[in-house]
Every structure is written in C-alpha cells, then in structure tokens.
Amino acid sequence: MADTISDAEKIRNKRLAKLGGSSSTPTGSEASSAQASPSVTPLPASPAVDNSSSVPKSATGSPVTTRSPLEHTEQQIQSAPRITIKPLASVPQKRDSDDEERPRPRKTASKETIEAWEDKTLSSIFRVSLRPEYHHDAHGNSLYFASSVKSDLESEEAPIRLSTQILDQVIIEVGSNIQGVETLDYLLACWKRVSKLFRSLRSGDTSDPKYNILREVRRVTMSYCIFAVTMPDMFGNETPAENPMTKHLLCDPESDSGICHDFLSEAVSRFDEDESIKDALVSAMEDLSKQLGKKSMNDDYKEHMLALRNFIRYPVLVNALAQSPRFLPSDVVAHRVELDTFLGPFFRLSPMQGEVAMTYFSSPKTRDKAYIANAQKALRMTLQTHQDELFDIANSFVRSKGSRDKILDWFALAVNENHKRRAMQVDRRAVSTDGFMVNITVALDRLCEPFMDATFSKIDRIDADYLRRNPRITIQDETKINADQNTSDRFYAQKVGGSSNFISEVFFLTVAAHHYGTEAANTRLTQLQREVKNLEKQIEKMETERHNYAHNPRSLSIFENAVKKYKDHAERAQCSVLAIQGVLLDELTQARSMQFMRYVIVWLLRLVSRGATWPNPKIQLPLPAEQPEVFKCLPEYFLEDIVDNFKFITRNMPSILTSTQCEELVMICIVFLRSSTYIKNPYLKSGLVTILFHGVWPIYGRSKGVLGDVLFGNPFANKHLLHALMNFYIEAENTGTHTQFFDKFNIRYEIFQVIKCIWPNTVYRENLAMEAKENQEFFIRFVNLLLNDVTFVLDESFTAFASIHDLSKELANQNNDMDTTVRQEKEEALAAAKSKAKGYMQLTNETVATLKLFTEALADSFTMPEIVQRLADMLDYNLEALVGPKQASLKVENPQEFGWNPKLMLTEIIDVYINLREKPNFHLAVARDGRSYKASNFEKATSILKKHALKSPEEIDQWQRLAAVIQAAKEAEDQEEEDVEDAPDEFLDPLMATFMVDPVILPTSKQVVDRSTIRSHLLSDPTDPFNRVPMTIDQVISATELKERIEKFRAEKRGARMKRAAAAQVEAQGEPMDTS
C-alpha cells in the first residue's frame, strides 16, 4: 500500500473504524489497477439462493466453460447419490401400526462449511466475484470482478473467498468502479437481497453463525448506503445538488431501487449511533417536498404522498421532520407558506388550483349539467382520498409528543399569515390559495372529532381564557363581537396563568381556520360568480358592436383579440366557480364542518348564559343586560363562521342538516336576535335571519323547509321567535351602514317569509296579541315601521309602473322620429324602471300580505291613536291608485314578469279594510283623510269585486256596509271641521292643524302638541320636532288646564250645532217644536 494516505482515505478509515469493521481500504494505486467490469443495471430482488440449483450446461450436455463461485463451492461438497423419482401407483394410504418398523431416512450429503456458505452468500448479495472467469451467477446476473480485493488476499496469502472481514473493501471497490448504475442504487439492491435472506433466518438465535453473518452484512450495507448519500466522495462521486435518496423514496418500496420499511427500521435503530443517518433521511424528504411544490393534481403526485406516509410510520422520523428548519421557517410570508414549509406542498394540492379546474371543466359553456355533475363528483372523490391522507399525516405529527407542538405551530402559521384573505379587496398573489386553506380546515375539523361527542361531555375542557394565555393564533387586529379596540386590549392585557390543553388549542385553531379557509373560499365563490356575470354582460355588449369594425380588417383583428381575452377570462373564472362548488358541496366535508359548528354554537350559548350547562337547562331570554367580558372580546369570526357556514348549507344543501342540528341552529338565531345588543355587527344579525329564511324555503318533501317544523313546534321558538323577528325588524331601520336603506328591505323581506311559515300556528298569534298588550311601545314601533314600508314600496312600485307605461307607449309610437341617442336613453330608462318595479313589487306583495295577517289578528293594536290615521291614509291612497282615474297608468305588458297582479293587490287592500271594519276610530280616521278618501272609490271597488268575482257575497256585503259607515263618519267630520275655523290657535295641533285631544308640553322646546302626534313622530325620529333635541315620550308634560278648555270649547260647539240641527229639522217640518 502507498506510504502516504490522502485526506479522503483518512475520512474513509474513520468511518470504517466507527462501524467496527475492517479499516483496510484500497489505496489509490490499487483502485487504479482494478479491472473494468460489465455494466450492472438495477434488477429485481432475487430470491433466496437455492443450493440445489442445477449448473448451466452447454447444448451438448457438458458443463459450460464459465464457472460461478456457486459451482466452485459445490465441488468441495461430497455429491449425493443420484435418485430417480418414479410416480407410485395410486394406493389408499393407511396409518402405520405402532409395531411396524419404519424405514430409516437416507443419508444426506455432507453439510456445507460456513466459510463456503459465507462466500456463496456474499457473492449472491453483492453480485461480486473474486475469480475473473466468472461473469454471471447461477441465475444469470452479471458479476463484478473485485481485482483489488483479490490482489490484497493473494499478497496476504489468505484464502481467495468473500467474507465479512473484507466486506468493506469489496463494497468500496465495487461502489467506486461499477458502471451503468449509481452507487446508491447498487447498495440499495444489495440491502434488499441481504434483508430477504435475513428475514428467512430471523430466528433470533445468536449462536447461529449464519444469523450473525447476515446481521453484520446488513449493518455494513446500511452504513455504506448512508455513506453513499452523505460522503459520495468515498466512492469517487461528486456531491449532487439533490439528495440521492429522494428519488428512491418515490420508488415502490418493494422494488430494488425503493426504500423499504426494513431499511427505515434499521436506519431509525441507528440514530443514536450516527446523526448523519437522520440528517440524510430528513434532507431527502425535504427535497421531495420541494419537488412536490412544482406539481399540481394534474401531475403524478401520489408517489410523493405514499413516500411521506411510509416515512411517518416511525415516530422518531416524525420528530426528526418536525425539528427540520424547513418544517417551520421563521421568515416565511403568506403566499409562500404552501411552498417554503415542509408540509405546505402536500396541503397545497387541490382541484381548486387553476390548471386543475381547467382540466376538469374545460369549455364549461358547452357542457351539459350531467357532465358538470359527474366532473364535480370525480373531483370530490379525488379530493376526499387526498384529504384522508393529509389527515393521516397531520394526525401522525399530533400523536407524537415530540412533534405535536410543531404541527400546531405550523397550523397557526398558516392561519395567522392569511388574515388578508378576508379583506374587502384580496390580492391573490399575496395570500395562500383556497385549496391549501380548505385542506387545512378539513384536517383540523377531523382532529376535533375525538372530543366532539353527542353529549358534549368534553366541552367544558374548552378553556374560555385560552386567548389570554399566550395563544397560538393572533387576534389583535380582529374585530371583536361587541367590544372596541381599547376594551379588547385591556381585557387581553390581563394574562392568566397555567397552560392550555390540546382540546383548547385545536378548537381555537379550527375556528380561525374556518374563517380564513372554507368561509373565505365561500366568499371567493360569490365574487367569482359576480365576476362571471359581469364578464358575460361585457362580452354580450361587445358583440353588439361588432358591425362597427367589420369593414376594417385591422380594427376587426384588435376587436377579436379583445373579445377573446374577455372570453378566456370568463372561462377561467367559470371553471374556478365549478371547481370551488364541487369542493364546497362535498356532503361529507360539510357534515364534519357542521358537527364542529354545533360545538361552537353550544360553547357560545353556555358562555352567554353564564355557566349554564345548556342544553339542560334551557336558556332564559332575554339574556342578562350585563354581557360577559370574555364573550364581548371574542373575535367576531366565532359568530361569523356559524352564520356563513349555515347560510351556505341551508341555501345549497339543506338536506344534510339533522334534527338536532336544526334545533341548536334555531336556538342561536333566536337568542341573538332576541338579545341583539350582544352583537355589534348588523350583518351578523341579518345573517341569522337569512339562515331562518333559507331554512323555511320549501324543498322536495318538506313544504316548510328544513327548519319549518322546528320553528312551528319547538316551545322555545313558539315563545321567543316572533318577538325576536319583530325586534330585528325595528333594529334594521338603522344599521349604521351606507347601504342601510336598501339593506332593511332585504332583511324585512326575509322576516316576512319566516312569519308566513309560522303564522298558521295559533300559539304565535296568541303570543303576538299578548305582546301587543304587555309591550305596547315595542309593538307600536313595529307597526309604525311596517306602515312606513307598505307606503314606500307601494308608492315606488306604482311610480315604476307609470314610468314603464309611459316609456313603452312612447317607444312603440311608429310616428315618432326619435333620435338614436334619445331612443337609447329612453330604452335604458325603461330597463331601469323594469328592474326597479321587479325588485319593489316582490317586497310589496310580502309587506301587504303581512299587514293583512297582522290586522286580522290584532285589529285593536292597529287602531291605536298613534297608528290608525297613518294606516287609514295609506289604505285610501293605494285604493285610489288601484281604482281611481289614474289606474290606467299601472297597466303594463307582461305584468307577471314583475309579480304584478292588480286584482290580487286590490283584494288584499280591501281585506285590511274589512279586518278593521268594527273599529270606530278607524272609520273616523278614513273619513278624516282629506287627500285620498272618496266615496266613489269605494263604489268603484265594489263594482270591480263583483265583476271579477274577487270576493264572496258575504265579504262584498261587509265592504259595502263599511263604506256606508265611513260615509256617515265623513259627514259628521265635515260638520266638526266648521268648529275648527273659529277655534283659538292654541287649541290646534301645530303639526297636524287638528283639534288636540290630549295636549302635552314638550320638555325642551316647550311647544304644545297632541300626545298622539308626538308619539307618532317619535316612532320614526326620537327627537323634539322643533329643536331636534333627543327626547322620549315619558318626558312630555300633560297640559291638563288646556285640555279642559278644549273639551269645554268643543262641548259648546257641539251643543250649538245640535240646536241648529234641531231648529232646521222643525223648520223643514213646518211645525213648532214641542218644548213641554
């Protein structure tokens, strides 16, 4: 050997010494003298060596000239006598008798020496020979001639055979010089062969020399596999850019080039001996993760998933991965979390990736519904399988104590870095993708399943003080349920001691993940649908302008490119819509989501009911006026997640709701609508109404929807629902937003639908009557707003119909030579009027129908002094519009397009009149309507009712008698008007110019008005009408002395009028009045 030893050889010697094996390595001169061998390619693992294998022969029957080590060994063994086996005749077998002499076994061949077995076995495992004439083994596998090893043995006068003592030299020589195959590929194949033999001998008998030999061979082979990865220069190789083990992790574990479980088990068992093994394996998995980051579901990603799943079967490897710097990098930004963290690329895979969506739904406009449905079904099946694997991966990290905190930190990183996903305008390049966040949400949902039992036995382990104890999630910038920033900061500045349990950790993480994951994707879906609609309108508009460019090829080309750009954009957006729908409409995923939201609902209800163990006992409403601080300072998304999740489900897939979930859902809606001060955001409260609205919408097999039966029969709903709806009806008048005027009509439309669903239940009507008596102020405010709405929507609808009538008539005039620009303006105005009419008419129908229901049940409440005059004025105005001289302006083409049925509207207006026919103050209020009341309108209405048989004879009779009563009241009122002419101004209401009945003095302006007038004013505006200072009705002061004077004045006028009437009667009869 050379006198000098290179640095590389010193490293090799150290590694060999660490293994406890021979430190003899071939020098550079020896390596250079090695003969070239035939190329060796990776082969399937060979079966265990069969000692009885026949020797290959030539065509003449003589042995071939090339002899293998196996033949050489067999010459040293005494040959057994040749036996010719002939089949016996079929003879029934019989049991040997006890005294029958059994034949003795034949003598076997003499046993193979352990040295010969070792030489033969090592040659088979490492495909190596020490004899140059052997090129193939008995199975035809190519053999490498280890010339340097043979030279060393000859120089030492040692036997020319393979043994574990020279195994290091053999591996280094073969690994350094073998052609056509990488060193690691060769060593892994050797590992597979030795492992197979070792398993066949795995008796655990350490006295068996074969067992000990194979165990040592496994140890040495494993070491050199790691050396091939960590010290490639040992074999004369350059250090590669990527860990060479990565590609082997992706191979089938059972193939020669794949990393099997035996390999991983052996590697894990040696972690304490050699840190480099752990580093090599972790590095290989990191490179695999980086590779996956460049793939989508369109590519072959399953081998990467399988590799990781095989890897994490070993807790030690799981812990090693969790300690990797790539697992939780410190400086990663939101949009790089799914690429620059170890688990990110695995969770990133989703059908919602743009290129994948285009693959599933290419050319969506040309596809029928069946094709789309099948594609979405296939998409869901693929994603479910992938999400199952993701859960297994996450669960492996959670179950290992050494990695549990790390995986929770990683989930928190994904959530905390993506707060901008819920911004008003989201920059998609700066946040993680929908698919990544949805997969995280689903995995967390499943991690919560073990503690979400039907009896809520573990719900008390969810610590309400978690957010005050160094939480993983960041909530400082989050809007709170009912606290401003200063209140929230003070509350969370008061830290609590102790540590958080796992249930609390994963619960709060999952709530946040829903907000930034599935619910953000839901919002994205809505935005994309709106975007597609706008793009289609733009394309349609552009197509109408095509003729402008038809005569100029260059302009036409530019135009075509612009249209194509819009169409491509619309197609991509539509594909994304279908992909997101396919993912979010997965019943299994949504069922898990609802199960989690059920726990959130119960946890919140327990929080606001101050320790009550709901659902037993039931919550008492209204909730306490003092709200728990911990609830007020919770992030608003705790309620927003519930609202958004169930709005989506009740609208798109209501059938998956269970009866128990329906009850709890109804419960939280009623609780926070009844005690609405607990929630600051009006949109959250309107979302609760929307859930109820969607829940009562009829679906197949359920005429009342999925929530109708619960609302109809649940005692808690019977007691509190109607008040809760009326309460929010009032509150919706002022939501504090710039769109509050239009928002309130949408909210109230949904409330009307819920009321219509429950109205057949008499319990609700009885409760409403009781409410009107016991909480009169509340009920008056509700009725006042209802009348405001009826007045407004009827007026807007009728105005829109008049515009449609006039514009349609003008545009249809053939003799009108209208300028093109003017015509276009009028056509646009007509389209706007139609859109307005359609929107308002839908609300008009519901509002009038609700008014009809309420006046039928609560006639007294609608004829209170504060209400009755406004109600009468509204009815008279709309009756004149329907039957008066201007009724022709309401005639439009295709009225059903707008939901407009004049005859039906007339009957419902008349129903309200009839419902109040027994109330004298209603008669008087109608008669006092100097603007719209006309007896002729009643007569015209009677004629229409009879002509079209819109009412029964009994109802027509009631209507005619009511008209007569009102006419009489009108005549009496006209007589009383004469009294007003000479009445002192102090007797008249300054706002209404009518006699005051109950005059009161306002607290700040000191003006005197009638009590009913100021009551009516305060219903809409809680200020003094003369100086705008805030006031309430209980602040007014009764003007008792003035009231007595007014009554006296009116009594005098009434007496004088009676005398004049009597005198006129006598004069008409021509006889003196009998005064006796």
Side-chain angles (χ1 to χ4, degrees), residues 38 41 61 154 227 311 415 431 441 458-459 493 532 546 623 647 668 804 872 917-918 970-971 1019 1047:
T41 57
E154 288 175 344
F227 292 163
F311 201 83
V415 170
V431 295
T441 307
K458 297 181 181 178
I459 198 169
V532 169
R546 179 179 292 275
L623 294 174
K647 276 171 63 177
I668 195 168
I804 294 170
R917 66 186 183 280
E918 303 294 338
K970 172 64 176 174
E971 294 172 358
L1019 292 175
E1047 289 177 348

Side-chain angles (χ1 to χ4, degrees), residues 213-382:
I213 289 171
L214 290 178
R215 184 174 62 179
E216 176 65 10
V217 173
R218 286 179 86 247
R219 186 186 70 82
V220 174
T221 307
M222 165 60 71
S223 299
Y224 278 98
C225 286
I226 301 302
F227 292 163
V229 176
T230 60
M231 298 177 63
D233 60 312
M234 175 179 283
F235 300 96
N237 301 325
E238 295 182 357
T239 303
E242 186 179 77
N243 190 313
M245 201 179 294
T246 302
K247 67 178 183 180
H248 297 284
L249 287 168
L250 297 175
C251 295
D252 182 359
E254 300 304 319
S255 68
D256 275 358
S257 57
I259 292 180
C260 61
H261 291 295
D262 280 345
F263 184 92
L264 291 176
S265 298
E266 179 69 15
V268 166
S269 68
R270 298 174 62 179
F271 272 13
D272 294 336
E273 301 174 16
D274 193 347
E275 274 295 319
S276 64
I277 299 177
K278 179 195 299 183
D279 295 340
L281 289 171
V282 171
S283 173
M285 288 304 302
E286 288 177 341
D287 288 345
L288 184 146
S289 172
K290 292 175 184 177
Q291 287 182 9
L292 187 60
K294 301 175 183 178
K295 294 180 179 290
S296 71
M297 272 195 164
N298 285 343
D299 304 311
D300 186 7
Y301 66 92
K302 292 186 178 179
E303 57 188 14
H304 295 73
M305 297 296 299
L306 179 61
L308 179 57
R309 294 186 68 195
N310 288 336
F311 201 83
I312 61 175
R313 291 173 61 176
Y314 304 90
V316 177
L317 293 178
V318 172
N319 294 339
L321 285 175
Q323 299 305 318
S324 162
R326 182 174 169 81
F327 190 86
L328 201 66
S330 58
D331 56 349
V332 66
V333 293
H335 68 283
R336 299 294 302 179
V337 172
E338 59 190 79
L339 295 172
D340 294 346
T341 63
F342 175 76
L343 289 177
F346 296 93
F347 279 80
R348 177 173 175 265
L349 295 171
S350 171
M352 287 191 280
Q353 292 172 294
E355 62 272 27
V356 183
M358 290 291 289
T359 302
Y360 272 100
F361 307 103
S362 60
S363 303
K365 288 293 182 182
T366 64
R367 307 295 187 179
D368 58 17
K369 291 184 178 180
Y371 177 92
I372 297 294
N374 288 333
Q376 289 181 328
K377 185 178 180 180
L379 173 152
R380 283 193 287 270
M381 292 176 66
T382 301

